[in-house]
């Protein structure tokens, strides 16, 4: 084995996977995982741990994998993470743990994410579950939202002995893990449902079909239902649009709606009757991970798919792996281009859009070069479906029905980063509801911070 290069990970052939919803990445087997783990230098000052938002003891779990001690590796990971099978699949490891790996200076970084995935999958296949050590402490906590922030906060609090109930607005727990991320990246039954079950094994109760702000409010949970504190991890499910002419036409939708119909409501399956307009030619506007997910879903539903993004490939915010997979599968990238108008036929359906070419100017406040229109470069691209993937913001329902809970000008709940404390006593918040749309692992980091904050708050009341 050449220690400079990582052990390759098996994947479905692009031509085959472009027409199915089976998982693209097939992961390591035990022999491959042990061989890859042997590349870890077990650094005395592990920079990879500093790069992990939930501070997993990465060298320690990898040394267990190297020795074939997979249960011990799982125990190490679950000390810090409630969702290892999820993180091993969808975390941007290249900019976090693996981005800090010393091996990456002169070769490939250790495949930390793929090893985490292997360990979590091995545990699931062998019936290994997280252990609960602390007895119940008699305190009752409410968690709003069962996405990565809520599940992590609930799991950490349950381990500390709290009686935790999660309230989920949808009919199935998992939040963005079930409605936002496609089956081919994150299998729902094998991975998400299993991870949710593990959180429930810690003693967490989950009530679905409960819309906080309508059926009941945060104030009612605290004042009338006996909950002593609450964590809001309700995500950012309110899609943004461009505000250009024709945007309300039939055939124009948000990536959120498109992915929810496919992922949560199983529109991609023949035995479900959920309506979805797969389109013959689809334009996806945007360049993030959600845009890649929508484009790759439309491709699998039989469409010719174009991603239209106003900056260059260098500025694409999506993970390099997702861009690579999309290109392999046949998604067409129309970069340095931006829609200016949706064209509508006599029946109210989109028939395409006007697009103008762009060039990059001086850097803006984000540090990226600002795209500028090239006068006279407009042209028409035909399409029968246009999917807007321009980011999301939090639904204002919870904040507007909770007394004393303040939001910023973007509608995000104001909360402290280190402990999730909001402007209302006893109410903590984290994840996309606070930051706007971000990654699963950052939501988990916020969930852990919220659990810490709630634990400190309850202990302060006991003094």
């Amino acid at each position: 084995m050449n220690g400079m290069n990582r052990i390759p990970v098996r994947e479905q052939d692009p031509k085959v996977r472009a027409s199915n919803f089976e998982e693209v990445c097939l992961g390591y087997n035990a022999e491959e995982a042990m061989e890859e783990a042997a590349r870890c230098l077990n650094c005395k000052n592990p920079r990879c741990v500093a790069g992990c938002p939930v501070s997993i003891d990465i060298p320690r779990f990898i040394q267990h994998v190297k020795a074939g001690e997979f249960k011990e590796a799982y125990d190490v990971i679950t000390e810090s993470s409630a969702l290892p099978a999820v993180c091993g699949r969808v975390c941007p490891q290249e900019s976090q743990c693996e981005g800090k790996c010393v091996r990456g200076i002169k070769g490939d970084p250790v495949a930390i994410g793929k090893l985490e995935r292997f360990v979590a999958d091995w545990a699931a296949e062998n019936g290994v579950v997280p252990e609960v050590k602390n007895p119940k402490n008699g305190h009752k906590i409410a968690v709003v939202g069962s996405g990565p922030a809520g599940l992590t906060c609930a799991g950490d609090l349950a381990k500390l002995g709290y009686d935790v109930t999660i309230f989920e607005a949808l009919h199935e727990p998992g939040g963005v893990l079930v409605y936002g991320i496609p089956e081919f990246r994150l299998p729902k039954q094998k991975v998400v449902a299993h991870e949710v079950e593990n959180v429930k094994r810690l003693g967490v109760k989950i009530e679905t079909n409960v819309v906080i702000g309508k059926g009941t409010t945060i104030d009612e949970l605290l004042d009338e239902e006996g909950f002593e504190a609450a964590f809001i991890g309700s995500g950012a499910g309110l899609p943004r649009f461009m505000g250009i002419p024709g945007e309300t036409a039939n055939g124009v939708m948000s990536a959120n709606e498109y992915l929810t119909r496919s992922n949560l409501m199983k529109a991609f399956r023949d035995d479900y009757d959920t309506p979805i307009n797969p389109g013959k030619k689809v334009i996806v506007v945007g360049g993030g991970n959600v845009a890649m997910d929508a484009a790759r879903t439309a491709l699998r539903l039989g469409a010719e798919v174009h991603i239209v993004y106003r900056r260059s490939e260098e500025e694409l915010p999506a993970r390099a792996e997702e861009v690579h997979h999309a290109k392999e599968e046949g998604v067409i990238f129309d970069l340095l281009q931006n829609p200016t108008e949706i064209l509508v036929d006599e029946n109210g359906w989109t028939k395409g859009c006007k697009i103008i070419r762009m060039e990059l100017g001086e850097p803006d406040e984000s540090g990226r070069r600002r795209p500028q229109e090239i006068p006279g470069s407009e042209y028409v691209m035909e399409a029968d479906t246009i999917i807007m993937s321009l980011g999301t913001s939090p639904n204002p329902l919870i904040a507007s029905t909770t007394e004393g809970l303040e939001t910023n000008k973007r509608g995000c709940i104001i909360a402290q980063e280190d402990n999730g404390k909001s402007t209302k006593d006893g109410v903590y918040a984290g994840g996309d509801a606070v930051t706007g749309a971000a990654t699963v692992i950052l939501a988990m980091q916020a969930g852990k911070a919220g659990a810490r904050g709630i634990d400190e708050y309850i202990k302060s009341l006991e003094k």
Side-chain angles (χ1 to χ4, degrees), residues 162-185:
Y162 288 92
D163 180 359
V164 186
T165 301
I166 295 177
F167 297 96
E168 168 56 50
L170 297 175
H171 62 279
E172 199 174 309
V176 70
L177 305 176
V178 293
Y179 74 74
I181 303 175
E183 187 78 14
F184 53 82
R185 278 219 294 140

Side-chain angles (χ1 to χ4, degrees), residues 89 113 122 202 233 283 301 405:
R89 286 168 165 85
W122 179 91
L202 297 172
I283 295 172
L301 292 170
L405 188 66

Side-chain angles (χ1 to χ4, degrees), residues 13-148:
D13 179 87
K15 289 190 178 72
V16 175
R17 72 181 190 238
S19 58
N20 71 50
F21 279 80
E22 302 299 315
E23 193 168 12
V24 168
C25 179
L26 304 176
Y28 285 142
N29 60 30
E31 186 182 352
E32 291 164 339
M34 290 167 71
E35 195 175 346
E36 178 61 22
R39 296 181 61 237
C40 176
L41 300 173
N42 198 16
C43 305
K44 286 185 179 174
N45 180 24
R47 291 161 52 187
C48 56
V49 177
C52 173
V54 296
S55 303
I56 292 170
D57 190 339
I58 293 167
R60 188 155 64 99
F61 104 70
I62 289 180
Q63 292 312 302
H64 283 305
V65 175
K66 178 181 170 182
E69 298 164 352
F70 304 141
K71 182 190 180 299
E72 290 79 0
Y74 181 72
D75 291 341
V76 172
I77 295 171
T78 53
E79 286 170 7
S80 305
S81 174
L83 307 170
V86 170
C87 288
R89 286 168 165 85
V90 302
C91 265
Q93 290 99 4
E94 65 278 0
S95 62
Q96 293 175 168
C97 53
E98 293 178 16
K100 302 282 193 293
C101 177
V102 172
R103 272 279 186 210
I105 296 171
K106 292 184 178 177
D108 294 334
V110 175
I112 297 166
K114 298 297 189 282
L115 291 175
E116 181 182 20
R117 168 193 162 144
F118 165 77
V119 170
D121 288 355
W122 179 91
E125 287 159 14
N126 289 274
V128 178
V129 296
E131 296 174 13
V132 190
K133 293 174 183 171
N134 285 358
K136 291 282 186 186
N137 62 20
H139 295 288
K140 196 173 159 188
I141 311 296
V143 171
V144 181
S146 65

Side-chain angles (χ1 to χ4, degrees), residues 236-251:
L238 192 64
R240 295 188 194 132
F241 286 86
M242 294 185 73
I244 58 177
E247 214 167 20
T248 57
N250 293 323

